């Protein structure tokens, strides 16, 4: 991403395409390694959403499921890509990585801790059935365009997911300035964070009808413990970001 900015302005163009592949790979690995814990956190925080592909597989509607996954990945890449681009732009304007960019981890982490507290208070108490997510009633009548929109909105306009993906983009952009390394790290981040929504499809492809019963049981478990899972993931990532931001001051 930073290479795009530098190439457009004619400044620092020797930092991208002219680099040996080995050096680009070495620059990519730290970005992947540093963003991987955040990707796993996003995977846990978005675990309740896997109910959507499970229900769509029950409908046996491959085009609708494909549209949902397309919108999902588009939302991931948009939010993550814009985050990286903004960090690179700030770095180029100030001639180096600004200290306030590194410090952004602290407010992002505090935001996640606040969201974790909200999720914990929303958890189902003993003997109570959890309130279903708003999109549960949409699944049976979901069309291909609406499925793509739902996948995109679930990521790009969700107050829990956006800070998480922005944190991943921030981590990638501060780990390497090279555009190829940033793009590769963002793709790996997106794939790891999306393993939850991809798991039902993979299980169905590998196991066929044998996957239906386990997926149905897992769906029930996820719906019941929705807020518990999300609260744990947000708490863990919030602590990680705040401590990382303080350490970089």
């Amino acid at each position: 991403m930073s290479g795009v900015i530098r190439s457009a302005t004619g400044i620092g163009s020797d930092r991208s395409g002219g680099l040996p592949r080995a050096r680009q790979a070495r620059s990519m690995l730290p970005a992947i390694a540093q963003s991987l814990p955040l990707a796993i956190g996003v995977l846990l925080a978005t675990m309740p959403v896997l109910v959507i592909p499970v229900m769509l597989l029950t409908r046996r509607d491959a085009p609708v499921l494909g549209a949902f996954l397309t919108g999902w990945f588009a939302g991931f890449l948009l939010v993550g890509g814009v985050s990286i681009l903004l960090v690179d732009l700030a770095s180029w304007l100030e001639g180096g990585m600004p200290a306030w960019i590194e410090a952004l981890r602290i407010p992002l982490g505090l935001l996640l801790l606040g969201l974790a507290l909200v999720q914990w208070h929303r958890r189902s108490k003993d003997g109570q059935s959890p309130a279903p997510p708003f999109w549960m009633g949409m699944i049976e009548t979901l069309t291909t365009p609406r499925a793509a929109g739902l996948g995109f909105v679930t990521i790009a306009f969700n107050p829990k997911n956006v800070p998480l993906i922005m944190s991943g983009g921030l981590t990638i952009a501060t780990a390497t300035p090279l555009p190829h390394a940033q793009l590769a790290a963002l793709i790996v981040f997106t794939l790891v964070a999306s393993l939850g929504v991809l798991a039902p499809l993979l299980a169905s492809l590998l196991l066929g009808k044998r996957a239906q019963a386990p997926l149905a049981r897992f769906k029930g478990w996820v719906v019941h413990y929705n807020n518990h899972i999300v609260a744990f993931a947000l708490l863990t990532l919030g602590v990680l970001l705040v401590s990382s931001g303080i350490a970089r001051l």
Side-chain angles (χ1 to χ4, degrees), residues 160-196:
K160 299 187 297 292
N161 296 335
V162 169
L164 290 169
I165 301 172
M166 288 179 63
S167 302
L170 171 65
T171 300
I172 291 170
T174 54
T176 176
L178 301 180
H180 298 89
Q182 289 177 340
L183 178 59
L186 178 59
I187 291 173
V188 172
F189 176 85
T190 300
L191 289 175
V192 172
S194 301
L195 286 176

Side-chain angles (χ1 to χ4, degrees), residues 12-229:
S13 59
D14 60 323
R15 297 185 64 182
S16 53
L19 288 175
R21 291 183 182 272
R23 184 177 172 187
Q24 292 187 31
R26 286 196 300 270
S27 182
M28 174 180 66
L29 292 178
I32 293 176
Q34 292 177 35
S35 63
L36 193 58
L38 290 169
I40 295 174
V42 178
L43 166 63
L44 293 174
T46 57
M47 189 69 72
V49 182
L50 70 79
V51 172
I52 297 177
V54 169
M55 295 180 70
L56 291 177
L57 283 170
T58 303
R59 283 178 50 182
R60 299 182 181 276
D61 199 334
V64 174
L65 177 57
F68 172 79
L69 293 175
T70 300
W72 172 278
F73 286 120
F76 247 106
L77 294 174
L78 177 65
V79 176
V82 168
S83 301
I84 293 173
L85 186 61
L86 290 176
V87 172
D88 286 340
L89 180 60
S91 177
W92 172 71
L93 290 174
E94 299 200 19
M97 188 62 65
W100 62 266
I101 289 288
E102 300 281 6
L104 278 178
R105 288 178 170 84
I106 297 176
L108 282 172
L110 292 175
L111 175 60
L112 295 182
L113 291 176
L115 291 171
L117 184 62
V118 171
Q119 290 293 320
W120 183 252
H121 281 294
R122 289 179 178 174
R123 75 191 188 281
S124 57
K125 306 300 189 294
D126 292 338
Q128 294 180 346
S129 298
F134 74 94
W135 38 257
M136 286 285 285
M138 302 169 51
I139 304 301
E140 293 301 324
T141 58
L142 206 59
T143 61
T144 299
R146 291 180 65 190
L150 178 61
F152 183 80
V153 168
T154 301
I155 287 297
F157 291 92
N158 188 298
K160 299 187 297 292
N161 296 335
V162 169
L164 290 169
I165 301 172
M166 288 179 63
S167 302
L170 171 65
T171 300
I172 291 170
T174 54
T176 176
L178 301 180
H180 298 89
Q182 289 177 340
L183 178 59
L186 178 59
I187 291 173
V188 172
F189 176 85
T190 300
L191 289 175
V192 172
S194 301
L195 286 176
V197 295
L198 289 174
L201 177 60
L202 296 176
S204 180
L205 291 174
L206 293 174
L207 301 177
K209 292 183 179 181
R210 290 177 296 168
Q212 293 180 1
L215 286 176
R217 289 194 298 269
F218 189 60
K219 168 194 163 187
W221 182 84
V222 167
V223 170
H224 185 77
Y225 292 103
N226 176 358
N227 292 318
H228 298 74
I229 299 169

